[in-house]
């Protein structure tokens, strides 16, 4: 994410590098990943960065072939998927009750993505479920 006024990232440096590693074309992504790996230690990584590593994990083989960190990134993905599935599952009774009473529900954001493709839960943290219902 870059400021159009300043031409600089508005993210903290560690997050900026991970976003670039996850979303940039391969040469720029590799540069960002190498920079992140040389500047930061996974064991001391802050939670916002850990969450981004789930989105970056599918690219690890092209960013750093044979990386020993790949198994840990897979573990992060499994954690994110499990946490998201539990969160969505916990809201199921409420949504079921609403729809049983004729109240339509529209899932938003992460839950909507997960309904379309459950594997997206591996790429982002879901801590709550946003549901839109009609206002009468």
């Amino acid at each position: 994410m870059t400021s159009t006024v300043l031409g600089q990232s508005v993210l903290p440096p560690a997050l900026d590098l991970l976003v670039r590693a996850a979303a940039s074309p391969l040469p720029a992504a590799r540069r960002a990943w190498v920079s992140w790996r040389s500047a930061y230690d996974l064991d001391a990584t802050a939670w916002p960065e850990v969450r981004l590593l789930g989105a970056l994990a599918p690219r690890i083989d092209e960013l750093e072939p044979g990386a020993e960190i790949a198994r840990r990134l897979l573990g992060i993905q499994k954690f994110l998927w499990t946490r998201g599935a539990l969160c969505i599952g916990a809201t199921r009774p409420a949504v079921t009750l609403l729809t049983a009473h004729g109240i339509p529900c529209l899932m938003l954001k992460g839950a909507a993505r997960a309904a379309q493709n459950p594997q997206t839960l591996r790429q982002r943290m879901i801590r709550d479920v946003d549901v839109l219902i009609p206002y009468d």
Side-chain angles (χ1 to χ4, degrees), residues 92-110:
R92 186 170 286 134
V95 172
T96 300
L97 183 64
L98 289 168
T99 56
H101 285 86
I103 301 170
C105 298
L106 176 65
M107 306 301 252
L108 302 173
K109 300 174 11 183

Side-chain angles (χ1 to χ4, degrees), residues 70-114:
R71 300 190 83 173
R72 294 185 69 192
L73 296 184
L74 180 60
I76 290 169
Q77 283 193 312
K78 288 179 179 181
F79 168 77
L80 293 173
W81 186 93
T82 302
R83 176 80 185 245
L86 288 170
C87 184
I88 290 171
T91 63
R92 186 170 286 134
V95 172
T96 300
L97 183 64
L98 289 168
T99 56
H101 285 86
I103 301 170
C105 298
L106 176 65
M107 306 301 252
L108 302 173
K109 300 174 11 183
R113 283 186 68 203

Side-chain angles (χ1 to χ4, degrees), residues 29-49:
R30 276 192 184 135
R31 284 192 302 275
W33 178 245
V34 167
S35 294
W36 187 86
R37 289 278 277 155
S38 66
Y40 301 97
D41 176 15
L42 182 60
D43 292 330
T45 298
W47 182 240
E49 294 146 36

Side-chain angles (χ1 to χ4, degrees), residues 102-106 132-136:
I103 301 170
C105 298
L106 176 65
L132 180 66
I133 59 173
Y135 177 77
D136 287 334

